[in-house]
Amino acid sequence: MILVTGGLGMIGAHTARALIELGHEVVVTAHRRTEVPSFLAGVTVESLDVTDRDAFLALGERHDISDIVHLAGNIPAEDPVGFFRTDMAGLLNALDAARAWNVRRFAVASSIGVYIGRPEIPWHEELPLPSAELPHLIIAFKKAVEPLTTHSLAGTGVQPVVLRIGSIWGPLMDPESPFNPIPPFVSAALRGEQPRPLHADDGGDSCYAPDAGRAIALLMNARTLRHTTYNVSSGRPITNRELADALQAVIPGVRPELLPGRQHGPGPDPHLDITRLTLDCGFTPAFDIAEAVADYVTWRSDNAR
């Protein structure tokens, strides 16, 4: 059985779904979010505050857990120390559980943001991570997660899998999320409003959530993995022009306003190289931007998130 912490969040739920489709038994943890999405009906859900070490370890008494995907996390409030303390406690408890249960594989969420400061694009896993000012507390924590995880599991027999997750969007994401422009763009169109103007040629990394979940599931399903760190995304950037075209194709009458060119001048759009992911577990995205927008609009017709 594979444990997915934060398994009712966007990435966690789609990872759990993909693991089930691959034939695995899955248990997901949930804390603040308790609504189980329709595509996970029947999944085993454990209510768990991952900062409670005893409660975390007690999961192993109720389930025979072979692997862990640790995706649980918080959104920072005003106190950065409180945010770091909470997410660090959850990470350390998950690592304690992985060692106590002697699981095969422990996957943990990192972020595309760890590459900020590297001029080479696309970003690939062999690039040394730079010292750079990071724009968000979540990215700062994710950058620290990587060595904390690999050092904690060294010599234990548990294989660490660091997931450098790209810009993921789709079903279950906050429709007004500040972390990705696509759901708010689509939400405005669904309300009959004019989406916020975007520069036509701007863009960047983008991956539809079902694809991201399937990529993570394939990494957990692989018989062997040759690396510790994997980029998780679609492998190609999209532009705002492509997004607007996709939206117009599925919502008749929508005419998103596009500003000419790029906001910050010429240059490549940051995105992740997924060659390593493809070679080691055969992942290719199932959705291009047109298919993803069409699927998302259909989902939102019956779901608030």
Side-chain angles (χ1 to χ4, degrees):
M1 176 174 279
I2 298 178
L3 171 67
V4 181
T5 69
L8 296 186
M10 177 182 63
I11 298 176
H14 288 286
T15 298
R17 177 187 190 179
L19 286 166
I20 291 168
E21 290 175 349
L22 287 171
H24 294 281
E25 291 186 274
V26 178
V27 57
V28 304
T29 72
H31 184 34
R32 294 182 179 86
R33 184 177 297 177
T34 58
E35 183 178 355
V36 180
S38 56
F39 59 78
L40 277 186
V43 73
T44 301
V45 180
E46 287 275 4
S47 178
L48 176 71
D49 178 351
V50 295
T51 67
D52 184 334
R53 182 177 182 274
D54 290 341
F56 204 131
L57 291 175
L59 288 177
E61 300 170 6
R62 298 192 293 276
H63 305 284
D64 184 14
I65 296 170
S66 61
D67 302 85
I68 297 174
V69 183
H70 181 55
L71 300 174
N74 286 297
I75 301 297
E78 294 182 0
D79 178 15
V81 174
F83 164 70
F84 289 136
R85 180 180 293 114
T86 298
D87 273 23
M88 181 66 75
L91 172 66
L92 295 179
N93 289 341
L95 287 166
D96 264 349
R99 299 193 305 176
W101 304 336
N102 192 31
V103 301
R104 180 187 64 137
R105 210 166 270 168
F106 179 91
V108 65
S110 180
S111 167
I112 185 176
V114 302
Y115 292 110
I116 289 173
R118 297 295 322 194
E120 306 90 340
I121 294 173
W123 287 324
H124 59 82
E125 296 93 340
E126 294 181 4
L127 290 171
L129 299 187
S131 297
E133 184 174 346
L134 300 175
H136 201 280
L137 294 177
I138 291 177
I139 296 174
F141 180 73
K142 297 301 186 187
K143 197 168 185 177
V145 159
E146 298 195 9
L148 289 170
T149 296
T150 54
H151 282 284
S152 294
L153 297 179
T156 65
V158 178
Q159 182 178 23
V161 182
V162 173
L163 308 167
R164 290 182 180 163
I165 297 174
S167 184
I168 313 302
W169 68 280
L172 302 184
M173 190 174 206
D174 178 357
E176 303 303 329
S177 173
F179 298 112
N180 190 294
I182 299 179
F185 194 83
V186 175
S187 293
L190 291 174
R191 292 192 300 267
E193 301 172 2
Q194 184 71 5
R196 177 175 64 88
L198 301 172
H199 284 76
D201 298 328
D202 278 347
D205 193 87
S206 181
C207 183
Y208 197 46
D211 275 336
R214 188 166 56 87
I216 295 169
L218 287 171
L219 285 167
M220 300 307 288
N221 190 63
R223 185 180 299 275
T224 60
L225 292 176
R226 295 181 298 166
H227 304 282
T228 295
T229 304
Y230 290 86
N231 289 340
V232 174
S233 196
S234 68
R236 66 173 297 268
I238 68 158
T239 65
N240 293 328
R241 189 186 308 279
E242 291 175 290
L243 170 61
D245 289 346
L247 192 57
Q248 284 181 267
V250 295
I251 305 181
V254 170
R255 296 291 183 268
E257 179 184 355
L258 293 176
L259 303 175
R262 299 172 62 91
Q263 184 174 10
H264 300 297
D269 292 317
H271 65 284
L272 294 176
D273 182 299
I274 61 166
T275 301
R276 182 180 286 187
L277 174 67
T278 299
L279 289 175
D280 280 18
C281 62
F283 171 79
T284 56
F287 293 85
D288 61 19
I289 185 60
E291 293 165 327
V293 168
D295 186 78
Y296 183 61
V297 168
T298 299
W299 166 265
R300 286 288 305 279
S301 66
D302 294 318
N303 298 274
R305 296 178 68 96

